[in-house]
Amino acid sequence: MPTERTLSIIKPDGVARDCIGAICGRFEQAGLRIVAARMVRLSQAEAGEFYAVHKERPFYAGLLRYMVSGPVMAMVLEGEGAIARNREIMGATNPADAAPGTIRADFAESVERNTVHGSDSAQTAAAEIAFFFDDMQICPRDS
Ligand code: CMP
């Protein structure tokens, strides 16, 4: 399986409940290495741009209100098949449907406050990584 990079976000509920370390531990235990990390409080415009694909959805306005409600931790994860692996570790979007042992099953409060975001394809990963990070802010991990 090829080495890939994917964007992960620990959302405001995960940061507010001090779950950053526990969630990063899940990534590291699964062989996903953190090659960039940045805490940021998104503006309304930034959150709107990041989630533009959902702008016609009924939950869009609430999603934006939530995503600007506190800081988020944006990270680039690197590893074999990182995009799919991260989505396995996160679990289903709705924590009620998430498999036991996944991040969303263990940490998330609701389908909106679902603790983590992960890119869903190689194309999305490239765009989402570029949204948060310049190339110079990403550190390849040789060891
Ligand atoms: P995420 O993986 O970041 O992608 C889009 C987000 O929209 C999703 O996680 C949830 O936080 C949110 N979302 C998706 N479906 C719903 C829904 N039915 N109601 C509220 N929020 C949702």
Side-chain angles (χ1 to χ4, degrees), residues 74-99:
M75 291 176 282
V76 180
L77 307 178
E78 185 176 84
E80 280 185 28
I83 297 165
R85 187 81 185 103
N86 182 38
R87 291 180 72 78
E88 278 172 29
I89 297 165
M90 290 195 301
T93 303
N94 187 340
D97 302 327

Side-chain angles (χ1 to χ4, degrees), residues 16-143:
R17 287 181 289 127
D18 297 315
C19 299
I20 294 172
I23 292 170
C24 289
R26 302 273 180 116
F27 297 144
E28 292 181 334
Q29 283 155 22
L32 296 178
R33 299 179 121 179
I34 298 164
V35 295
R38 175 180 164 220
M39 185 174 278
V40 57
R41 179 124 187 203
L42 293 171
S43 68
Q44 185 81 12
E46 288 166 337
E49 185 186 340
F50 186 80
Y51 278 120
V53 68
H54 295 301
K55 69 173 179 286
E56 305 303 335
R57 307 291 284 275
F59 56 80
Y60 182 67
L63 175 62
L64 297 201
R65 268 196 304 278
Y66 159 58
M67 288 300 293
V68 304
S69 67
V72 301
M73 189 77 178
M75 291 176 282
V76 180
L77 307 178
E78 185 176 84
E80 280 185 28
I83 297 165
R85 187 81 185 103
N86 182 38
R87 291 180 72 78
E88 278 172 29
I89 297 165
M90 290 195 301
T93 303
N94 187 340
D97 302 327
T102 60
I103 293 170
R104 285 170 170 157
D106 291 347
F107 295 95
E109 298 172 345
S110 67
V111 66
E112 180 179 82
R113 300 172 67 84
N114 65 352
T115 310
V116 281
H117 169 83
S119 307
D120 63 5
S121 68
Q123 195 181 0
T124 311
E128 291 184 347
I129 289 169
F131 184 90
F132 282 98
F133 296 98
D134 294 331
D135 282 349
M136 278 188 66
Q137 296 172 306
I138 302 173
C139 300
R141 298 277 301 270
D142 301 324
S143 57

